[in-house]
Every structure is written in structure tokens, then in C-alpha cells.
Amino acid sequence: MTATYYVQNVLSQMKSAINEQRPKISSSRTLHLHDNAGPHKARATIQSLRELGIQVLPHPAYSPDLAPCDFWLFPILKDRLAGGKFDRIQDLAKAVNSELWTIREEDYRGVFRKWQIKLKCCIESHGEYF
């Protein structure tokens, strides 16, 4: 994913979803977690987030254990899609999207409870490894 794709496709949809799901809460009161991936740190992304009024929760460097996609979601997707052959990027995107919809809401909620525990440990250790 590039910063251009992220800004044009993901952030605009995220802003719309926030406005739709929480019409009484402005997006400036919503914290968005970004890890330290290139598209998230790119100048275009940072500028777009400012323009959209979306605040970013800082993510400690070198801490993939604090990114739910890294410690939970990507391993699930890798396991489920292992051995698959995709001739076109669109086929891969369709397969990933299909798998995402099979994950139960309770599983998503559970991972965010675990994520809160991990964040608390990080805060208590003053950002050191634990």
C-alpha cells in the first residue's frame, strides 16, 4: 500500500464512517492508531489527517506487539490464505476481504481488550520492552 492509496481510499472512507456511525462526535475527538509503517508516516498522510481533523495516537517505535494487525490479524490472514495462488492483485484483495468478513465480531472485540492490556503494560514500563 502506498501513501497515495491510503489517503485517497482508506482515510476518506474512514472519515465518512466516523461521521456516519458517530454523527454527534466530531472526528477531531476520535483518536486513530497508526503504527510506524511508511504510508502512515508519509507527509501526504499526515497532511490529510490534519485536513480531516483526525488525531493520531502516537505509536512507540519498533513495537509491532502493540499493533493489533501485526500481533493478531495478519497471522490469521496468512494462515487462512496460505497455499493460495492469486494471479491478479484483485483476486488477492477479494480473498482477503472475504476472510475479514468471516471473523466474528466477538473476536475483534477480544483482540482490542488484549490490546488495551498491552498498552497498559507499555505505559507502566515507560515505553520499555516487557
Side-chain angles (χ1 to χ4, degrees):
M1 177 179 307
T2 66
T4 301
Y5 179 89
Y6 186 71
V7 167
Q8 292 175 354
N9 296 286
V10 178
L11 290 183
S12 61
Q13 289 180 21
M14 183 177 69
K15 174 76 171 181
S16 296
I18 291 169
N19 292 338
E20 183 180 309
Q21 294 175 17
R22 299 178 178 185
K24 295 182 181 180
I25 299 175
S26 100
S27 59
S28 64
R29 291 186 52 214
T30 302
L31 287 174
H32 182 67
L33 176 68
H34 269 166
D35 58 17
N36 294 312
H40 297 164
K41 297 183 342 180
R43 187 173 297 147
T45 300
I46 294 167
Q47 180 180 342
S48 182
L49 287 165
R50 277 194 204 115
E51 290 170 3
L52 293 170
I54 297 172
Q55 295 182 50
V56 176
L57 181 66
H59 189 279
Y62 310 110
S63 297
D65 57 323
L66 295 178
C69 286
D70 287 340
F71 74 78
W72 176 73
L73 184 59
F74 292 155
I76 288 173
L77 290 174
K78 286 179 185 178
D79 184 53
R80 292 183 180 184
L81 297 172
K85 183 165 173 27
F86 306 98
D87 295 324
R88 300 178 314 140
I89 193 74
Q90 294 89 343
D91 297 335
L92 173 60
K94 186 176 179 180
V96 168
N97 194 40
S98 178
E99 288 299 332
L100 289 173
W101 281 105
T102 67
I103 299 172
R104 299 174 315 151
E105 183 177 335
E106 300 85 42
D107 294 335
Y108 282 107
R109 290 185 190 282
V111 77
F112 283 100
R113 282 191 295 275
K114 291 176 187 174
W115 176 65
Q116 289 172 328
I117 293 167
K118 288 175 178 274
L119 288 177
K120 184 178 179 186
C121 290
C122 182
I123 291 167
E124 289 173 352
S125 69
H126 305 286
E128 296 295 323
Y129 290 105
F130 53 89

